[in-house]
Amino acid sequence: MRRTGALRALVRETELSPSHLVLPLFVQLGTEERTPIEAMPGVARHSIALAVEEAGAAQAAGVPAVLLFGVPADKDERGSGAYDDEGVVQLAVRAFKEAHPELLVLTDVCLCGYTSHGHCGVVRADGEIDNDISLELLAKTALSHAGAGADAIAPSDMMDGRVGALRAQLDAEGHSGVPIVSYAAKFASAFYGPFREAAGSAPAFGDRRSYQMDPANADEAVREALLDVDEGADMVMVKPALPYLDVIRRVKESTRVPVAAYNVSGEYAMIKAAAAAGLLDERAAVLEALTGIRRAGADVIVTYHAREVAQWLN
Ligand code: PBG
């Protein structure tokens, strides 16, 4: 059954198509420029206008969705830029929906890009993250994104109970139709390094291991995903993707809801760097990696390769 291309296609079990891809975009305020990210060739922080153009090009190639990350002009202790109705993501969502009404606009909900200390929640005087106060601010952020017209809200902070808090707030304020894509199993990973350069969100002290998951735990990932579904998540995400293919499979089998996998910045950087050094065939490696993520059980893949992959697949 492997002798010809037609035979192989006839029995191929896993399909990779642009319709399952989400392109992350970094949108910045305070400059009209494109700021390249050193560790991620081909990825940059964009002004809103440039990001709208990028999104249009991705959509033309067949990518149906983007995931927005905001880079505000100012940061403070409580990340107030995250829930400012005139904040970077809110302004961007309006511009995206106006320019590309059919494009799905997902927004990342977290405080780390907006707090002066770079943590995903509010930090107490004793240095601990205050889970429950953080929930209020995260819910405010989600509400503000939904009000701007976001098609789906993606909380990535890993506070306990945030899906329920966001769902309640959205429902109470007339956004019961806005789905929640929850980063349910988000591991404390070394592969986020380049992203933190892109978003300027590296923690100023400590690390994220008191709220992100221990890379050694898969039962716990299933538990986290089931809890999020219980609280109202419409899709659950596993992140990173490639070192966690078993987790993707188990989360898919135990939740039976749509599962997204985030092929993160470090995974992208590895392939780009290897290809640039002449060590790998980039296109073949990317297609194989993403097919593997789909085969593991991901319905949706969030990837910085999205536009190129869509072009290759066309
Ligand atoms: C933070 C957030 C992170 C990513 C998305 N949202 C990383 C972190 O915990 O610092 C990582 C994405 C990537 O590496 O591509 N809320």
Side-chain angles (χ1 to χ4, degrees):
M1 297 300 280
R2 299 177 196 146
R3 203 171 43 81
T4 69
L7 273 173
R8 290 191 294 273
L10 184 69
V11 297
R12 182 160 298 133
E13 298 172 33
T14 306
E15 219 71 67
L16 181 66
S17 84
S19 61
H20 301 289
L21 303 179
V22 178
L23 175 69
L25 287 175
F26 300 101
V27 186
Q28 63 186 352
L29 272 192
T31 158
E32 290 311 306
E33 311 268 297
R34 184 180 182 281
T35 315
I37 293 144
E38 213 177 307
M40 301 174 74
V43 179
R45 294 200 296 256
H46 294 99
S47 65
I48 291 176
L50 290 174
V52 165
E53 266 176 44
E54 278 285 302
Q59 189 186 23
V63 177
V66 294
L67 173 60
L68 296 189
F69 292 94
V71 183
D74 302 297
K75 307 189 186 216
D76 57 36
E77 281 283 301
R78 291 168 70 89
S80 60
Y83 38 91
D84 177 352
D85 287 340
E86 300 301 314
V88 56
V89 167
Q90 290 81 352
L91 294 172
V93 169
R94 291 188 207 112
F96 274 68
K97 292 309 293 184
E98 194 178 313
H100 313 298
E102 302 297 315
L103 179 74
L104 294 171
V105 178
L106 283 59
T107 57
D108 185 89
V109 166
C110 193
L111 300 182
C112 65
Y114 304 85
T115 48
S116 42
H117 46 71
H119 278 288
C120 302
V122 173
V123 178
R124 288 196 320 229
D126 62 2
E128 297 268 324
I129 308 294
D130 194 318
N131 191 89
D132 295 1
I133 302 246
S134 304
L135 293 186
E136 286 169 33
L137 302 184
L138 292 162
K140 253 171 103 164
T141 305
L143 188 58
S144 170
H145 290 181
D151 291 294
I153 303 291
S156 69
D157 52 281
M158 287 301 279
M159 297 301 125
D160 280 343
R162 91 271 202 220
V163 173
L166 266 55
R167 187 71 274 160
Q169 184 89 326
L170 290 170
D171 289 354
E173 306 283 342
H175 298 292
S176 55
V178 177
I180 294 181
V181 177
S182 151
Y183 291 65
K186 178 174 178 181
F187 292 89
S189 172
F191 291 96
Y192 304 149
F195 172 93
R196 291 179 187 171
E197 177 199 337
S201 63
F205 61 88
D207 54 44
R208 303 206 201 293
R209 284 181 293 182
S210 68
Y211 42 102
Q212 297 182 348
M213 287 187 52
D214 185 331
N217 293 359
D219 278 343
E220 186 188 356
V222 169
R223 213 155 58 231
E224 285 278 10
L226 290 171
L227 275 171
D228 282 6
V229 170
D230 230 35
E231 289 178 29
D234 301 283
M235 190 182 323
V236 289
M237 186 156 18
V238 175
K239 175 186 178 180
L242 293 173
Y244 300 93
L245 296 175
D246 59 318
V247 175
I248 295 171
R249 163 63 50 190
R250 288 184 57 184
V251 164
K252 180 67 196 174
E253 286 179 349
S254 51
T255 62
R256 305 314 307 179
V257 300
V259 172
Y262 199 139
N263 177 228
V264 302
S265 57
E267 299 174 60
Y268 176 89
M270 282 199 297
I271 289 186
K272 285 286 180 185
L279 305 176
L280 273 182
D281 172 341
E282 178 178 347
R283 175 172 167 160
V286 170
L287 293 174
E288 184 178 335
L290 298 192
T291 299
I293 295 168
R294 289 269 296 147
R295 193 196 60 241
D299 300 286
V300 172
I301 305 177
V302 182
T303 178
Y304 303 95
H305 300 289
R307 179 177 163 191
E308 275 179 302
V309 168
Q311 283 162 341
W312 296 333
L313 293 174
N314 292 334

